[in-house]
Amino acid sequence: MLERSALAENALQALHDEDYDRPYNTQALNHETMIFVGGRTPVSLDGAWNFCVDLLDTGLRQKWFAMQPMPAEERSEPWDYDPYEGDTVPVPSCWQMLKETWYFFEGSAWYTRPLDMPQDLGSGRRFLRVGAAQYDCKVFLNGAFLGNHYGGSTPFFCELTGHLRPGRNWLMLMVNNTRTLDRVPMRNTDWFNYGGLYREVSLFETPTSVIRDLFVHLVPDGSYRRIRAAVEVDGGAREAVLEIAELGIRQTIALGADGRGEALVEARPELWSPESPRLYAVSLAAGDDRVEDRIGFRQIERVGDEIRLNGRSLFLRGISVHEDDRELGKVTSEADLRRRFADARDLNCNYLRLAHYPHHEMAARLADELGFLLWEEIPVYWAIAFDNPATYRDARNQLIELIKRDRNRASVIIWSVGNENPDTDARLDFMKGLADTAKAFDPTRLTSAACLVNHARNRIEDRLAEHIDVIGINEYYGWYEENFEDLVEIGRNSDPGKPVVISETGADGAIGEGAPARGLFSEAYMTEVYEKQIETLRALSYVKGMSPWILYDFRVERRQNIFQRGFNKKGLIAADKATRKDAFAVLSAYYAERRDAEAGGEEMA
Ligand code: GCU
């Protein structure tokens, strides 16, 4: 090996030290480092970034981030990768969709780009915002490690102030999507494990006193005439001014030494609902900082086994959706989302389950505008290291990041803390803690989880049910569970005393060349399952909604039979997001019937 340099020392260390990553797993970038971005103008850092896959973490071991840019002929020591040159990839993107050889790549990858600053950096503050990086993202600026973030679907911020220099800076993000035993989700899921910087990356410049958080909502006390605003400002401002001009509100909010404050104001806003998605322009100023948002005011509550919106019981006519695209992987766009909502409208939906992780923030913004209700969730999915405090810290942080990102969205009515988890003591503690956390950060919404039926006793009973407002039930009678009579018996046996939402049901239906004409995986059989499910579920009075699985066929490694070929085919629409299967019309007709009955004030059987 090399004998002549610091590299030699580091190179030997890099070969022999398997604790190399410990200093870079601080998780210092988390919900506490978020800032409020509504109304701010970001500098986009999207576009071409230098890129290299790094299966063995050679970059961390050899400290690629510490290399200085220089022409190859001037380098005095050999190197394995030069972050300042070579291939580039577009951001946002999932590396699996960019190159055949990267399709199943799981590991680390390095993204590098220049960041040019003015000669006078001024007195302001600068924050990097990453919309989402699947799963662990470590931030380096000019060779310095600034922190890392766990969680593949929530935004995070890294303050660059004080680390930037005038002129050229170099930003390096190392993203790792390896599935492990202590992550959330763990290592076994029924969706494709994409990787990369797959949502927008931006730079925000703010005054020294920055508004970190703003939560504005109708007080859920049934009066529909009180609005609460909670504010957090970092940097010394001692008051903030809230303005909602259309309601004649201009309210000064005193801030404590911790920069937090809140105010209650009387107002009678037009209420937001799917039928009338009324939004108000809201602004907040504190010191030299100013942010905006467009907010709908409504009340969602559970009363007995009813879900009530603005005091009126409703049935959630829903569909589940993944964030998945045949060409783009997990990257989404406004056009992709508008198509999703248009298809949901054609299904006569008023509700969508955004499974199994936080979707792009645009989804809730569009749902606010178009009038859809949403279930949002964190990927506490199947088996999780429920007895691992570090895993709980990760799950709790992802939940709080989701809530702080979306709690001004009227469309979001349910925070879900998990999906199909085994009913163990450790899981109960873990998920009760998450449900309590959701209420602590947002007492205005309902909590839920997609639970499993107790098949041994053919009943809806899950110990978590007493700690959540709405019981989600995933049941696949007609598909994974053969005997439909059991579903009827479950209906008779169960008296949950809370609203139940069938958070999943459905069947695979392949279409096109090679699809079976009948039997399992045929479109005909899928349609038959939908017809029998609807016939059974409509008779259960405590079922207050459903979100069948799923709107579109989606990519997943584990589905490899001759009809699936790497895709889950339970979509009502094929992976082309255009070809509708027969079951689409069956569900659409049922929802139209429910919608018209509700409009006419009739009770549905
Ligand atoms: C499960 C799970 C989904 C999965 C679906 C299926 O209920 O929650 O993530 O895709 O069933 O098996 O198709």
Side-chain angles (χ1 to χ4, degrees):
M1 282 306 293
L2 301 167
E3 303 301 334
R4 66 177 189 289
S5 74
L7 181 76
E9 184 51 40
N10 182 41
L12 288 176
Q13 165 108 13
L15 294 180
H16 303 151
D17 170 15
E18 282 311 308
D19 247 357
Y20 64 88
D21 61 341
R22 186 184 298 274
Y24 308 103
N25 290 331
T26 57
Q27 292 172 261
L29 308 180
N30 54 50
H31 72 88
E32 291 172 335
T33 55
M34 296 175 83
I35 66 169
F36 192 84
V37 293
R40 297 189 193 281
T41 305
V43 173
S44 172
L45 301 184
D46 292 347
W49 288 57
N50 294 349
F51 180 82
C52 174
V53 291
D54 176 14
L55 184 63
L56 308 179
D57 276 350
T58 305
L60 271 190
R61 297 169 186 271
Q62 292 182 351
K63 297 183 173 56
W64 289 346
F65 52 85
M67 290 174 68
Q68 294 305 312
M70 68 179 70
E73 60 275 12
E74 291 176 19
R75 288 202 184 282
S76 59
E77 300 161 346
W79 66 98
D80 287 326
Y81 173 64
D82 180 342
Y84 306 101
E85 62 180 18
D87 294 341
T88 64
V89 297
V91 168
S93 62
C94 302
W95 62 64
Q96 289 88 345
M97 310 316 293
L98 301 178
K99 216 178 203 179
E100 186 73 26
T101 51
W102 295 341
Y103 188 71
F104 283 114
F105 177 76
E106 279 192 8
S108 298
W110 290 82
Y111 294 80
T112 306
R113 62 154 288 157
L115 205 46
D116 292 330
M117 290 290 117
Q119 286 310 310
D120 175 5
L121 291 173
S123 63
R125 298 168 73 171
R126 289 180 175 84
F127 295 86
L128 171 74
R129 180 186 190 268
V130 176
Q134 176 63 30
Y135 180 91
D136 169 14
C137 183
K138 304 181 193 306
V139 179
F140 301 88
L141 182 72
N142 300 327
F145 172 63
L146 301 187
N148 83 302
H149 176 267
Y150 277 174
S153 306
T154 42
F156 60 92
F157 295 78
C158 180
E159 183 160 7
L160 305 183
T161 319
H163 301 286
L164 288 162
R165 57 194 179 215
R168 172 135 303 183
N169 297 261
W170 284 96
L171 179 62
M172 296 176 77
L173 302 183
M174 185 192 112
V175 181
N176 175 285
N177 76 324
T178 306
R179 292 162 300 111
T180 70
L181 285 170
D182 58 8
R183 288 182 171 178
V184 179
M186 190 191 265
R187 60 183 179 180
N188 182 28
T189 65
D190 194 43
W191 70 87
F192 194 82
N193 181 37
Y194 295 106
L197 296 173
Y198 69 92
R199 291 183 192 151
E200 293 74 19
V201 181
S202 322
L203 185 69
F204 287 92
E205 186 172 353
T206 75
T208 47
S209 184
V210 59
I211 297 166
R212 280 203 182 274
D213 195 17
L214 172 63
F215 180 23
V216 185
H217 62 86
L218 197 66
V219 174
D221 60 6
S223 70
Y224 304 102
R225 60 184 311 153
R226 297 200 307 157
I227 288 175
R228 175 176 174 268
V231 176
E232 180 189 349
V233 178
D234 166 5
R238 299 317 294 264
E239 69 175 30
V241 178
L242 174 80
E243 200 160 355
I244 311 178
E246 289 182 274
L247 295 174
I249 291 171
R250 181 175 167 76
Q251 173 72 38
T252 298
I253 302 173
L255 302 176
D258 61 357
R260 294 171 190 269
E262 64 175 73
L264 284 176
V265 287
E266 293 286 320
R268 291 195 72 88
E270 280 179 57
L271 298 180
W272 185 95
S273 71
E275 297 72 27
S276 172
R278 176 75 162 88
L279 299 175
Y280 285 86
V282 178
S283 71
L284 185 87
D288 296 333
D289 202 11
R290 185 179 187 282
V291 293
E292 298 170 352
D293 209 343
R294 285 166 48 75
I295 294 176
F297 298 103
R298 56 102 186 95
Q299 176 170 325
I300 190 75
E301 61 188 317
R302 173 184 80 85
V303 179
D305 71 0
E306 292 187 357
I307 297 172
R308 291 185 183 173
L309 177 68
N310 301 329
R312 194 157 170 250
S313 177
L314 86 163
F315 184 89
L316 300 176
R317 307 189 306 272
I319 189 71
S320 292
V321 284
H322 257 309
E323 203 169 49
D324 186 85
D325 187 84
R326 196 174 51 177
E327 279 73 39
L328 298 174
K330 214 172 176 330
V331 177
T332 190
S333 65
E334 182 168 345
D336 181 56
L337 287 167
R338 286 190 180 277
R339 170 177 49 199
R340 176 200 287 183
F341 286 116
D343 286 331
R345 189 75 81 205
D346 286 354
L347 262 181
N348 297 309
C349 291
N350 62 357
Y351 164 73
L352 288 89
R353 177 190 177 193
L354 304 190
H356 281 297
Y357 36 73
H359 287 215
H360 196 294
E361 56 270 18
M362 265 191 291
R365 285 206 171 279
L366 284 171
D368 271 13
E369 284 176 35
L370 299 170
F372 285 95
L373 300 163
L374 298 179
W375 155 313
E376 293 197 319
E377 73 184 70
I378 55 170
V380 175
Y381 182 92
W382 288 356
I384 293 281
F386 289 116
D387 55 356
N388 181 339
T391 301
Y392 179 72
R393 175 188 173 197
D394 183 354
R396 181 177 182 275
N397 180 62
Q398 291 186 43
L399 176 62
I400 299 168
E401 286 175 339
L402 168 61
I403 291 172
K404 289 177 78 170
R405 187 194 76 179
D406 285 359
R407 62 184 173 183
N408 283 342
R409 305 279 70 79
S411 51
V412 179
I413 58 169
I414 291 173
W415 303 119
S416 171
V417 296
N419 182 80
E420 291 193 358
N421 313 102
D423 187 353
T424 64
D425 292 347
R427 169 261 191 174
L428 185 59
D429 288 346
F430 191 102
M431 293 178 74
K432 177 185 179 307
L434 293 176
D436 294 348
T437 299
K439 287 292 185 191
F441 279 84
D442 177 12
T444 74
R445 286 179 174 83
L446 303 175
T447 54
S448 187
C451 303
L452 291 168
V453 169
N454 180 330
H455 291 288
R457 291 160 43 98
N458 256 3
R459 279 172 59 85
I460 293 174
E461 57 183 14
D462 182 315
R463 291 184 290 166
L464 183 63
E466 78 177 85
H467 304 290
I468 51 182
D469 298 310
V470 174
I471 303 171
I473 290 291
N474 288 2
E475 52 87 2
Y476 280 90
Y477 286 88
W479 187 251
Y480 296 117
E481 286 98 16
E482 188 179 353
N483 183 353
F484 245 97
E485 280 315 304
D486 286 348
L487 182 58
V488 176
E489 189 185 335
I490 287 165
R492 271 201 301 269
N493 288 350
S494 303
D495 177 16
K498 288 184 172 178
V500 169
V501 169
I502 303 298
S503 33
E504 284 182 38
T505 190
D508 277 67
I511 57 173
E513 189 184 338
R518 68 188 61 76
L520 295 182
F521 293 99
S522 69
E523 186 181 12
Y525 185 78
M526 175 186 184
T527 305
E528 190 184 324
V529 168
Y530 268 79
E531 287 164 346
K532 291 180 77 170
Q533 278 284 346
I534 288 168
E535 178 193 337
T536 308
L537 294 174
R538 66 187 303 150
L540 303 180
S541 63
Y542 52 75
V543 170
K544 299 299 184 187
M546 54 194 286
S547 51
W549 194 257
I550 188 169
L551 185 57
Y552 303 117
D553 290 352
F554 61 95
R555 178 178 280 108
V556 57
E557 290 95 336
R558 60 202 286 266
R559 306 290 185 170
Q560 292 299 338
N561 75 33
I562 58 170
F563 306 127
Q564 295 173 310
R565 298 191 186 284
F567 280 78
N568 183 311
K569 294 290 183 76
K570 294 187 182 70
L572 290 172
I573 302 174
D576 64 4
K577 297 185 175 177
T579 310
R580 293 177 177 180
K581 302 174 192 174
D582 292 344
F584 185 101
V586 172
L587 186 64
S588 176
Y590 171 54
Y591 282 170
E593 191 191 327
R594 287 217 74 109
R595 176 202 60 209
D596 299 345
E598 211 162 84
E602 299 160 39
E603 273 307 305
M604 276 281 295

